[in-house]
Amino acid sequence: MAAPSLKNGGSGAHYRWGQSAREVTIAINAGSRRGRDFRVEINRSRVSVAARSCGDEWQHLLRGELQRPVLTDECEWSVEDGSLIIALAKDGRLGAEAEWWTGVLAGEDTLEARTADAVAYAALEGLPEEERHLATKALAMSSGLDAVHALAAKAAAASDGAGGGGAGSRAGGGAGEGA
């Protein structure tokens, strides 16, 4: 897993997060812990992350209902450079309007709107025209981010002439990958 981009996100009690049009990435400080020192459970609508704290004691760092459903088979996690990195694959079948997250867990709003970056979110220059339009629309509908909408529309207009590639699929590592 490559180093995460945590743009278009925010911070929770024990984690930082960011998002693109296809994925939500969560970073948790792992300290000197290794993969076996974490319990990560991801299902379509819930996430649970616990870390070994002392002996057989486990401390929950993140647990609850996700803000939106994810594609479990395409989610993965690993411990890299002192961080537990969790990549949640957004379920694009719900339409782009459902894909802009304002937090990781349902009911939370930890999005730092002032740091939103439409180009990083939608990677507009690489999307087919229809997907660019849906991403721009989703940004316009989200949390009053008018400045983000303007950037997205400008990026979409600038890249209309560029050929868009199709969305690739990642091999699913599953929720139990990070050993």
Side-chain angles (χ1 to χ4, degrees), residues 23-132:
E23 175 174 285
V24 171
T25 304
I26 302 166
I28 298 173
N29 183 4
S32 61
R33 294 182 187 108
R34 297 171 29 183
R36 67 175 178 237
D37 297 319
F38 289 96
R39 287 185 186 160
V40 178
E41 297 176 17
I42 303 166
N43 69 38
R44 183 160 170 72
S45 61
R46 295 189 62 77
V47 65
S48 175
V49 179
R52 187 183 312 271
S53 60
C54 183
D56 289 335
E57 299 291 318
W58 292 87
Q59 174 189 10
H60 277 94
L61 303 176
L62 177 64
R63 176 171 53 175
E65 187 83 16
L66 290 168
Q67 191 156 113
R68 305 266 188 248
V70 297
L71 299 171
T72 307
D73 290 343
E74 295 182 27
C75 296
E76 58 187 14
W77 66 275
S78 64
V79 176
E80 302 172 14
D81 300 324
S83 291
L84 170 64
I85 307 299
I86 303 168
L88 302 174
K90 293 179 175 181
D91 188 348
R93 298 174 298 183
L94 300 174
E97 296 85 8
E99 293 306 313
W100 181 258
W101 294 27
T102 59
V104 173
L105 300 177
E108 82 177 358
D109 185 357
T110 57
L111 178 67
E112 295 171 3
R114 63 181 163 57
T115 62
D117 180 347
V119 175
Y121 171 75
L124 295 171
E125 67 279 355
L127 293 176
E129 183 177 345
E130 182 179 335
E131 287 184 41
R132 266 198 324 269

